[in-house]
Amino acid sequence: EADIYQTPRYLVIGTGKKITLECSQTMGHDKMYWYQQDPGMELHLIHYSYGVNSTEKGDLSSESTVSRIRTEHFPLTLESARPSHTSQYLCASRETGANYGYTFGSGTRLTVV
Amino acid sequence: DQQVKQNSPSLSVQEGRISILNCDYTNSMFDYFLWYKKYPAEGPTFLISISSIKDKNEDGRFTVFLNKSAKHLSLHIVPSQPGDSAVYFCAASDGGANSKLTFGKGITLSVRP
């Protein structure tokens, strides 16, 4: 049973719309991450957070923004969606401490038309 | 500059045979390695991991081997089953409480009945 939840699972939206991808976890993890993944490509880190009110940009530049007002919630927002934002977005969290693997959500498949 | 490389995009094996999935890395600071399994439209799920102080870790049908001098690791699945058909991602961490995972591009494994 998943302890990290992403909604929506699938989203088709028009260019220029504002969207928020939701991610929540019930494990009390401090560290949370957003990855972007296209078919046949590696997962690219776009945002991460080490706790409430802490957010950092990842290795891959992204036009999205994130917030971390509560430990369990780490939403990602695109102010104006474009076709180049079409991708799968994966949220993950992990326990503090070295060498703990991530727990991933089921992902959001975003298509911008 | 890819730090984790999975150079074979796909592998097809017969049910009951061994599957060997390879992964190479370039960053000598990596000291913890993980394998994730991913089905289409799902998030990756943790499979097995290995610390750099070991050269082998086994969990049921899954064994990971690490060759630090060659900066190479491999995942062995014996015997392979049709349900193992998925994309397998190799990931690496440089340790520490705030470490982040770096992923390879993944290998698509197909197990033929």
Side-chain angles (χ1 to χ4, degrees):
Chain A
E1 185 175 338
D3 295 314
I4 182 164
Y5 305 93
Q6 288 187 245
T7 57
R9 288 291 304 275
Y10 302 92
L11 179 62
V12 180
I13 198 163
T15 298
K17 298 291 186 182
K18 177 180 178 179
I19 56 170
T20 296
L21 308 184
E22 300 289 347
C23 176
S24 295
Q25 50 98 3
T26 59
M27 298 171 283
H29 290 171
D30 286 328
K31 294 176 170 55
M32 296 188 73
Y33 308 83
W34 276 103
Y35 282 85
Q36 184 175 342
Q37 197 239 340
D38 295 313
M41 300 298 291
E42 60 265 55
L43 280 70
H44 288 290
L45 180 66
I46 52 174
H47 297 283
Y48 61 98
S49 168
Y50 289 154
V52 172
N53 295 326
S54 153
T55 61
E56 302 286 345
K57 289 189 179 296
D59 305 320
L60 180 69
S61 175
S62 174
E63 294 168 343
S64 58
T65 59
V66 292
S67 63
R68 190 86 183 277
I69 299 172
R70 303 195 317 265
T71 298
E72 62 271 21
H73 195 213
F74 191 39
L76 181 145
T77 298
L78 277 165
E79 291 293 332
S80 179
R82 295 201 307 233
S84 60
H85 297 140
T86 295
S87 189
Q88 184 178 39
Y89 292 84
L90 295 160
C91 181
S93 70
R94 75 171 178 94
E95 294 183 55
T96 297
N99 299 338
Y100 282 99
Y102 295 6
T103 300
F104 280 89
S106 296
T108 294
R109 170 67 64 183
L110 173 66
T111 302
V112 184
V113 297
Chain B
D1 178 31
Q2 268 195 291
Q3 298 186 67
V4 177
K5 300 178 183 180
Q6 295 178 263
N7 292 321
S8 301
S10 63
L11 175 68
S12 180
V13 299
Q14 193 76 35
E15 181 179 6
R17 298 292 191 98
I18 184 171
S19 295
I20 299 177
L21 289 72
N22 294 307
C23 178
D24 297 290
Y25 62 96
T26 58
N27 189 340
S28 58
M29 299 300 293
F30 288 148
D31 65 356
Y32 195 69
F33 305 89
L34 307 93
W35 283 93
Y36 281 83
K37 177 179 179 181
K38 185 181 185 295
Y39 293 114
E42 297 287 338
T45 55
F46 171 74
L47 197 57
I48 193 169
S49 62
I50 188 166
S51 166
S52 59
I53 62 173
K54 295 185 175 182
D55 56 16
K56 177 183 174 181
N57 188 27
E58 191 172 353
D59 184 1
R61 297 187 296 114
F62 303 92
T63 303
V64 56
F65 296 91
L66 176 62
N67 183 333
K68 282 184 63 180
S69 60
K71 293 190 176 69
H72 176 84
L73 62 154
S74 61
L75 174 67
H76 293 211
I77 306 173
V78 181
S80 300
Q81 299 174 354
D84 295 329
S85 297
V87 178
Y88 289 79
F89 288 95
C90 174
S93 166
D94 60 5
N98 291 334
S99 62
K100 299 182 288 294
L101 290 182
T102 300
F103 286 84
K105 289 186 177 183
I107 299 171
T108 300
L109 173 66
S110 299
V111 180
R112 307 185 303 274

PDB file of all heavy atoms in Angstrom, chain A residues 32 98 109 112-113:
ATOM      1  N   MET A  32      11.859  15.397   0.652  1.00  0.00           N
ATOM      2  CA  MET A  32      10.979  15.105  -0.475  1.00  0.00           C
ATOM      3  C   MET A  32      11.591  15.635  -1.763  1.00  0.00           C
ATOM      4  O   MET A  32      12.371  16.596  -1.749  1.00  0.00           O
ATOM      5  CB  MET A  32       9.588  15.707  -0.247  1.00  0.00           C
ATOM      6  CG  MET A  32       8.862  15.102   0.954  1.00  0.00           C
ATOM      7  SD  MET A  32       7.147  15.598   1.121  1.00  0.00           S
ATOM      8  CE  MET A  32       6.370  14.658  -0.218  1.00  0.00           C
ATOM      9  N   ALA A  98      21.700   8.614   6.133  1.00  0.00           N
ATOM     10  CA  ALA A  98      22.331   8.173   4.899  1.00  0.00           C
ATOM     11  C   ALA A  98      21.781   6.828   4.447  1.00  0.00           C
ATOM     12  O   ALA A  98      21.318   6.029   5.232  1.00  0.00           O
ATOM     13  CB  ALA A  98      23.835   8.058   5.112  1.00  0.00           C
ATOM     14  N   ARG A 109       1.217  11.695 -15.140  1.00  0.00           N
ATOM     15  CA  ARG A 109       1.545  11.807 -16.559  1.00  0.00           C
ATOM     16  C   ARG A 109       0.867  13.060 -17.087  1.00  0.00           C
ATOM     17  O   ARG A 109      -0.341  13.112 -17.186  1.00  0.00           O
ATOM     18  CB  ARG A 109       1.065  10.566 -17.301  1.00  0.00           C
ATOM     19  CG  ARG A 109       1.123  10.669 -18.823  1.00  0.00           C
ATOM     20  CD  ARG A 109       2.527  10.739 -19.356  1.00  0.00           C
ATOM     21  NE  ARG A 109       3.304   9.539 -19.083  1.00  0.00           N
ATOM     22  CZ  ARG A 109       4.580   9.383 -19.406  1.00  0.00           C
ATOM     23  NH1 ARG A 109       5.243  10.360 -19.969  1.00  0.00           N
ATOM     24  NH2 ARG A 109       5.206   8.263 -19.138  1.00  0.00           N
ATOM     25  N   VAL A 112       0.501  18.398 -22.308  1.00  0.00           N
ATOM     26  CA  VAL A 112       0.078  19.760 -22.602  1.00  0.00           C
ATOM     27  C   VAL A 112      -0.139  19.890 -24.107  1.00  0.00           C
ATOM     28  O   VAL A 112       0.781  19.633 -24.893  1.00  0.00           O
ATOM     29  CB  VAL A 112       1.110  20.798 -22.124  1.00  0.00           C
ATOM     30  CG1 VAL A 112       0.592  22.211 -22.366  1.00  0.00           C
ATOM     31  CG2 VAL A 112       1.437  20.605 -20.641  1.00  0.00           C
ATOM     32  N   VAL A 113      -1.357  20.261 -24.470  1.00  0.00           N
ATOM     33  CA  VAL A 113      -1.710  20.295 -25.905  1.00  0.00           C
ATOM     34  C   VAL A 113      -1.882  21.733 -26.386  1.00  0.00           C
ATOM     35  O   VAL A 113      -2.013  22.656 -25.593  1.00  0.00           O
ATOM     36  CB  VAL A 113      -2.979  19.483 -26.183  1.00  0.00           C
ATOM     37  CG1 VAL A 113      -2.755  18.018 -25.842  1.00  0.00           C
ATOM     38  CG2 VAL A 113      -4.167  20.050 -25.395  1.00  0.00           C
TER      39      VAL A 113
END
